[in-house]
Amino acid sequence: MPAEYVNKLARMFQDIKVSDDLNTDFKEKNKGSLTADLVSLKVLNAGAWSRSSERVPVSLPTELEDFIPDVEEFYKKKHNGRKLTWHHVLSNGSITFQNQVGKYELEITTFQMA
């Protein structure tokens, strides 16, 4: 395996660890708030994950839009000088509903939520 791929893989594992640490810090800082209970952050280094940088416009549900300023403010305080870019194509969420048959939880993309 060429060194470039090994380096990318190492950065991917590092991103996962950093995201875990960010989630822990975010939940601790916002303890008891609805935001802390519902949001799970995944911050990825664009160079390591080889995804298209093309951003697709989407109208997010109001419930999701309300979380973005809280997350951005937290991230800017934690990582001064870094740019946070939202890629809703890579986002997902859970919707829980209940009917006469039972309770269900669906994992869906952000576009399915919109």
Side-chain angles (χ1 to χ4, degrees), residues 5-15 48:
Y5 293 112
V6 173
N7 188 14
K8 271 190 176 185
L9 187 61
R11 286 188 293 167
M12 288 176 164
F13 282 119
Q14 183 180 4
D15 285 350

Side-chain angles (χ1 to χ4, degrees), residues 38-40 42 57-68 86-97 105-114:
L38 295 178
V39 173
S40 176
K42 294 177 191 132
V58 62
S59 295
L60 295 175
T62 308
E63 296 84 1
L64 291 178
E65 285 283 350
D66 292 345
F67 292 131
I68 290 176
W86 294 88
H87 287 275
H88 300 296
V89 165
L90 303 174
S91 300
N92 61 4
S94 298
I95 293 182
T96 305
F97 68 94
E105 185 170 328
L106 300 175
E107 283 285 326
I108 60 174
T109 67
T110 306
F111 290 103
Q112 290 170 319
M113 281 188 239

Side-chain angles (χ1 to χ4, degrees), residues 22-40:
L22 273 174
N23 273 308
T24 301
D25 293 348
F26 185 77
K27 289 181 188 308
E28 189 64 35
K29 180 187 174 292
N30 295 291
K31 196 174 228 169
S33 75
L34 184 63
T35 306
D37 294 336
L38 295 178
V39 173
S40 176

Side-chain angles (χ1 to χ4, degrees), residues 42-59:
K42 294 177 191 132
V43 178
L44 309 175
N45 179 323
W49 292 85
S50 300
R51 287 294 193 156
S52 168
S53 61
E54 180 181 335
R55 296 185 63 205
V56 179
V58 62
S59 295

Side-chain angles (χ1 to χ4, degrees), residues 63-80:
E63 296 84 1
L64 291 178
E65 285 283 350
D66 292 345
F67 292 131
I68 290 176
D70 295 341
V71 172
E72 286 179 342
E73 179 183 336
F74 169 78
Y75 188 80
K76 285 178 185 175
K77 284 181 182 176
K78 192 98 174 136
H79 299 284
N80 190 17

